[in-house]
Amino acid sequence: MKKVITFGTFDVFHVGHINILERAAKQGDYLIVGVSSDELNFSKKGRYPIYNENDRCKIISSLKYVDEVFIEESLEKKKEYIINYDANILVMGDDWTGRFDWVNDVCDVIYLPRTPSISTTEIIEVVKSSKR
Ligand code: C2G
């Protein structure tokens, strides 16, 4: 069985997230998703996600493309996660191109194109600016 692993925050879940998960699932037979912890998100982006890690995990776990979910505590632990979950392929969006090539001794690494014109940050901006 070919196992695929991918990582992300998946905050304010949108169609770009679904598209990458759907395409990641198609790369193999089993999809494992590492959902960034609230703390990891704070350290990467300087803010906490809108949805907390438990809610984000619940949303991702409920998707038909996804077989297994865990919380990603650190970007540096990628190789550990890949080995522990026995994954054969790491899939990431192409905003991460090259950033995880260092794990390619334990699995294949593929970067898929992002869905254009949608992002959590943009959604937050639109919602903010529509406040009266
Ligand atoms: N994504 C996409 N198209 C978009 C928006 C996001 O394909 N329009 C993809 C990203 O490329 C990523 C996944 O959806 O592969 C999750 O995106 P984010 O929630 O922004 O994830 P990020 O905060 O980049 O966390 O270990 C890596 C990190 O945990 C990734």
Side-chain angles (χ1 to χ4, degrees), residues 8-89:
T9 310
F10 304 105
D11 190 26
V12 188
F13 196 73
H14 59 66
V15 74
H17 296 142
I18 279 284
N19 287 341
I20 194 119
L21 293 172
E22 182 181 18
R23 286 177 296 155
K26 284 188 181 144
Q27 306 294 318
D29 312 297
Y30 190 88
L31 180 62
I32 304 149
V33 183
V35 173
S36 301
S37 69
D38 294 338
E39 288 305 327
L40 174 55
N41 213 257
F42 187 79
S43 72
K44 278 193 307 190
K45 300 181 183 170
R47 65 165 177 84
Y48 285 102
I50 306 281
Y51 299 163
N52 71 42
E53 60 195 33
N54 296 328
D55 290 354
R56 289 181 288 113
C57 279
K58 191 167 181 181
I59 291 168
I60 302 298
S61 309
S62 71
L63 300 173
K64 66 180 176 187
Y65 309 107
V66 176
D67 298 291
E68 202 172 341
V69 171
F70 68 94
I71 293 192
E72 176 193 29
E73 305 279 358
S74 156
L75 295 181
E76 284 76 45
K77 285 190 182 165
K78 253 198 187 56
K79 217 180 252 190
E80 262 172 62
Y81 296 132
I82 292 166
I83 293 167
N84 291 346
Y85 285 91
D86 207 17
N88 309 102
I89 310 174

